[in-house]
Amino acid sequence: MRFYLKTTAIALALAATVGSVKADGHGGVEVLHWWTSGGEAAALNVLKDDLEGQGIGWTDMPVAGGGGEQAMTVLRARVTAGNAPTAVQGLGFDIIDWANQGALANLNEVAAAEGWDEVVPTALQQFAKVNGAWVSAPVNVHSTNWVWANKAVLDANGIAAPETWEDFVAALEALSAAGITPIAHGGQAWQEATVFDGVAMSVLGPDGYKAAFVDLDPEVLGGDAMKEAFDRMAVIRANVDENFSGRDWNLATAMVINGEAGFQMMGDWAKGEFLNAGQVPGEDFLCFRFPGTQDQVTFNADQFMMFDQGGSVSAEQAALASAILSPSFQSAFNVVKGSVPARTDVSDADFDACGKQGMADLAAAASSGNLFGSMAHGHANEAAVKNAMYDVITAHFNGEFDSETAVEELVTAVEIAQ
Ligand code: BGC
């Protein structure tokens, strides 16, 4: 049923776009993205307004589905039909893949004029600049190893923000005893993988995380620490409500906002939902790094890939790229989105406490060797490997494998996917 609904949504999105693309012609951009939740749409409006202020028309091509899997399916169909959108939200290795297929326009002229080389963090440039050519415009830096909590619920139950796994387990037990759902979770493979980013980092440590998810070392993928990470996932599974299956991530965030649940483990796009609901960090909700990963940042950066429209980069694509990289836009957009700027020279003055922490954590992690691309959001490895990991993590979460079987399956699935 879910597959049918997804497929239908994609078919409708494709049908709806054909007319708009042709009608759009010159003078505008068609933007394919998956920013459809309340907080995401509020952030997207900052970008739309910016462009409209410059007289550039916007044809919206939203494809719902957190993490972007459905959006990428629509994109492949559009490119195959010879009808690529002007600009497309993309993540990590997917961008490199499209660039290597020769599908993306070269933005070097605008990048050079605006000095992107000097201000975009090196960790992002590896996904934005392929074989010496800038092919996408980085919008932000998100990170996945965060926990979001309802402050009133924690206070009422005498719980402080947990700093260790043991503290966290004690907090889950206290909430459960009080009849509150300890963890708000949406049962979708990408959400389970997002939780796994933080959980695996907490057990494997930075070297182990890199060895497993970036270097794909079978010893680490199949080792005792990985088994322990799966054991922790089983504890998390035991603390979600019974209706978790298939739930969208923003509906899980709403459970924390409403006080139905204590915690959610999710990337900092969740903050956009709290803000959109009028909540204030430190007063209504808390943000903190997943216990045991306080020094690490597992990042993903949204970028807009500019698809080659048959020639050099268009004036509208260059204007969009330039608008995205402008320091004032980077501040205004990321304040709303929950992410942090994709430039190193933007002030944190307009950011709230979680945003300021996010910016400080990113800078500290980058300089101490603790910054890693998120496995769950396509910044550690190519899509085939990522999807192989998703399958095992989600099968274990849903009780198909015990932890010992999960590590064995992980080694095999990754080997086959390479
Ligand atoms: C994107 C975010 C988005 C989230 C949920 C992530 O992959 O990087 O921008 O808000 O998915 O849709």
Side-chain angles (χ1 to χ4, degrees):
M1 183 62 173
R2 257 167 52 213
F3 175 74
Y4 168 76
L5 286 175
K6 244 194 230 175
T7 314
T8 309
I10 290 169
L12 286 175
L14 272 172
T17 193
V18 174
S20 64
V21 172
K22 301 296 175 215
D24 184 44
H26 291 293
V29 284
E30 190 205 10
V31 183
L32 191 156
H33 62 88
W34 64 92
W35 285 335
T36 56
S37 77
E40 290 173 327
L44 188 72
N45 280 337
V46 178
L47 181 56
K48 276 188 197 165
D49 292 349
D50 191 308
L51 282 192
E52 271 161 18
Q54 298 184 48
I56 297 171
W58 177 287
T59 303
D60 205 33
M61 178 61 188
V63 181
E69 203 180 330
Q70 287 89 319
M72 292 302 102
T73 305
V74 170
L75 174 62
R76 278 190 295 277
R78 289 279 307 263
V79 174
T80 306
N83 184 23
T86 324
V88 180
Q89 182 185 356
L91 295 174
F93 279 85
D94 288 347
I95 301 172
I96 297 178
D97 192 28
W98 284 113
N100 285 336
Q101 290 183 42
L104 305 183
N106 185 324
L107 298 170
N108 278 357
E109 210 170 302
V110 58
E114 299 184 352
W116 296 2
D117 279 345
E118 285 74 55
V119 293
V120 174
T122 326
L124 257 65
Q125 288 196 28
Q126 61 169 314
F127 299 111
K129 211 176 161 183
V130 183
N131 301 324
W134 282 92
V135 291
S136 62
V139 190
N140 63 15
V141 185
H142 272 302
S143 56
T144 55
N145 57 322
W146 286 105
V147 186
W148 307 90
N150 180 302
K151 184 167 186 304
V153 167
L154 263 53
D155 288 350
N157 289 281
I159 299 168
E163 288 181 7
T164 63
W165 171 249
E166 290 70 27
D167 288 350
F168 190 50
V169 172
L172 300 179
E173 282 166 3
L175 290 175
S176 198
I180 294 162
T181 299
I183 297 174
H185 177 67
Q188 297 172 347
W190 75 270
Q191 294 190 60
E192 271 117 38
T194 302
V195 173
F196 201 67
D197 265 351
V199 169
M201 179 65 87
S202 76
V203 186
L204 297 167
D207 293 345
Y209 184 95
K210 178 176 178 292
F213 300 132
V214 179
D215 304 334
L216 307 180
D217 180 343
E219 299 280 316
V220 183
L221 286 167
D224 289 345
M226 191 63 82
K227 181 174 166 294
E228 169 68 16
F230 278 107
D231 285 343
R232 290 187 177 186
M233 290 299 283
V235 173
I236 288 165
R237 168 67 186 87
N239 282 282
V240 307
D241 72 324
E242 55 183 25
N243 298 319
F244 78 100
S245 192
R247 177 187 287 136
D248 286 331
W249 67 273
N250 53 314
L251 300 181
T253 311
M255 291 170 67
V256 179
I257 292 173
N258 300 335
E260 256 175 83
F263 301 107
Q264 182 187 23
M265 276 151 275
M266 190 40 62
D268 39 14
W269 45 91
K271 193 184 80 178
E273 299 304 301
F274 288 95
L275 300 182
N276 198 44
Q279 296 210 336
V280 177
E283 288 176 24
D284 305 306
F285 70 96
L286 303 177
C287 59
F288 53 92
R289 294 288 172 188
F290 186 76
T293 71
Q294 284 87 344
D295 293 334
Q296 284 82 40
V297 171
T298 49
F299 82 97
N300 63 296
D302 290 304
Q303 306 201 35
F304 278 100
M305 308 180 266
M306 301 299 167
F307 274 73
D308 193 337
Q309 304 291 311
S312 56
V313 62
S314 75
E316 293 79 15
Q317 286 176 317
L320 174 60
S322 172
I324 287 172
L325 265 296
S326 98
S328 58
F329 170 79
Q330 288 277 331
S331 177
F333 176 88
N334 287 307
V335 158
V336 180
K337 183 69 170 70
S339 36
V340 303
R343 300 177 59 116
T344 50
D345 60 348
V346 176
S347 159
D348 71 358
D350 289 344
F351 286 80
D352 60 29
C354 299
K356 284 186 168 62
Q357 185 192 334
M359 287 175 75
D361 286 354
L362 179 65
S367 61
S368 62
N370 276 298
L371 179 63
F372 297 94
S374 154
M375 172 276 291
H377 291 263
H379 282 69
N381 237 291
E382 60 194 30
V385 170
K386 178 189 82 170
N387 291 332
M389 291 182 178
Y390 275 22
D391 289 348
V392 177
I393 295 165
T394 206
H396 171 269
F397 199 82
N398 287 292
E400 271 176 58
F401 303 143
D402 61 15
S403 299
E404 204 167 330
T405 313
V407 293
E408 286 164 11
E409 292 287 333
L410 193 61
V411 173
T412 314
V414 167
E415 195 184 317
I416 293 169
Q418 286 181 75

